[in-house]
Amino acid sequence: MKLKLDEQGHVVVQDGKPVYVHDDGKEIPFDAAAAMSKIGDLNREAKGHRERADTAETKLKAFEGIDDPVAAAKALATVKNLDDKKLVDAGEVERVKAEAIKAVEAQYAPIAKKAEELEQQLYGEKIGGSFARSKFIADKLAIPSDIAQSFFGKHFSIDSGKVVATDLGGNKVFSRTRPGELADFDEALEFLVESYPGKDHIIRSSGASGSGAGGGAGQGGSKVPPGEAPKRSDFQDDISYARASAKHAADASAGAS
């Protein structure tokens, strides 16, 4: 990115902040104070990580020479069983332990299942709800929110209760308007759409119900009976399915108005 200059070669300022032009042409003011504050926070966080790593490394030195920690732990447990003289056969102790663990697992299996169900519900509400309520999808895309989620949903996850997006390389998507902070849902989705090679097929064109939303058998597509909702199995690729879905939605909306 580079500084935006006026005709006299002076730096353009917006709200007291210098304006930078990014590689994609977007002009965003740079908040230096916020950036420096965030850098300070990240430096302190990195120091904490280094200190914890040093502590862990120090503790691990006590286990140097032990190539098989599982075998070592089992040996220690066997010796303890023999030293305690609670049971003559150390193997019997292991059997009792296994049965105890099995009983605990059976007791808490329903709780674990319930926790998994709640996690899935949280995912559906946080991420599915974000797609359903997205203003970017409603205003800019020529495909419905469920199709957008099927394309880009894999890039979103929940971290500490917040929706977080990652790019194709698995890196978190940060905001370009709030330096050092993660992008909110719509900003992250816009970034992912801009990075998508087939974006021209899903971005809504001005004055039309959707780019490339023509019906019939397109490239890799399949004819769908008039008025019938398209099915993914009728198409050879996702793009053709998205086009047909967008057209079906537009036709349905036009018929209802």
Side-chain angles (χ1 to χ4, degrees), residues 203-222:
I203 294 178
R204 187 189 303 276
S205 59
S206 59
S209 59
S211 174
Q219 292 181 353
S222 172

Side-chain angles (χ1 to χ4, degrees), residues 76-126:
L76 289 173
T78 301
V79 171
K80 183 178 184 301
N81 291 333
L82 293 173
D83 289 343
D84 289 345
K85 297 181 180 179
K86 292 181 180 179
L87 292 174
V88 177
D89 187 358
E92 181 67 11
V93 175
E94 296 303 320
R95 185 186 67 79
V96 172
K97 286 182 179 179
E99 291 181 355
I101 293 173
K102 183 178 179 180
V104 172
E105 289 178 344
Q107 180 180 356
Y108 287 98
I111 298 177
K113 181 179 180 181
K114 184 64 176 178
E116 183 179 355
E117 291 174 353
L118 291 174
E119 184 177 356
Q120 292 175 351
Q121 292 174 8
L122 176 63
Y123 181 91
E125 168 56 26
K126 284 282 188 179

